[in-house]
Amino acid sequence: MHDEHAGHGYIGDKDAYLKRLRRIEGQVRGLQRMVEQEQYCIDILTQVSAVTKGLQAVSMGLLEDHLGHCVVDAARTGDAEADAKVKEASAAIARLLRS
């Protein structure tokens, strides 16, 4: 179902994605500390919002890369793979909208 990793659309931005995900990981650890230290609810919620926005940005970037690379490449073939990639992208978009 998935191509070799060298063909993934995000590879060109891999370092930027990793940097962003590490930042988000640090924010989540910070959230854990805030709860452990019994900090104010609104302050914690503000940080949850920041983490959520960061994850949304990663998701949108990956989706854009997938559409611009994987789906476009499959569409050029015009075969069943193209249909599968479009359905796969549609399902991913639906999952993002539900989250």
Side-chain angles (χ1 to χ4, degrees), residues 3 7-10 62 64-76 81-82 85-86 88:
D3 301 316
H8 296 318
Y10 67 85
L62 288 169
E64 189 175 316
D65 289 341
H66 181 68
L67 291 172
H69 181 268
C70 303
V71 174
V72 168
D73 284 353
R76 286 188 181 118
E81 182 185 357
K85 289 290 182 185
V86 169
E88 182 181 60

Side-chain angles (χ1 to χ4, degrees), residues 5-16:
H5 74 290
H8 296 318
Y10 67 85
I11 295 300
D13 294 321
K14 179 180 172 181
D15 290 338

Side-chain angles (χ1 to χ4, degrees), residues 4-76:
E4 288 290 319
H5 74 290
H8 296 318
Y10 67 85
I11 295 300
D13 294 321
K14 179 180 172 181
D15 290 338
Y17 282 119
L18 288 171
K19 181 179 178 181
R20 184 69 184 252
L21 289 168
R22 287 183 188 112
R23 185 178 316 125
I24 292 167
E25 181 182 22
Q27 289 175 305
V28 170
R29 282 193 305 270
L31 279 167
Q32 291 170 339
R33 280 190 302 276
M34 290 177 81
V35 171
E36 287 170 354
Q37 296 169 0
E38 301 176 5
Q39 294 198 12
Y40 187 56
C41 302
I42 297 300
D43 294 339
I44 296 170
L45 288 170
T46 299
Q47 292 306 309
V48 168
S49 178
V51 170
T52 301
K53 295 284 187 201
L55 286 171
Q56 288 171 341
V58 169
S59 296
M60 291 306 298
L62 288 169
L63 181 59
E64 189 175 316
D65 289 341
H66 181 68
L67 291 172
H69 181 268
C70 303
V71 174
V72 168
D73 284 353
R76 286 188 181 118

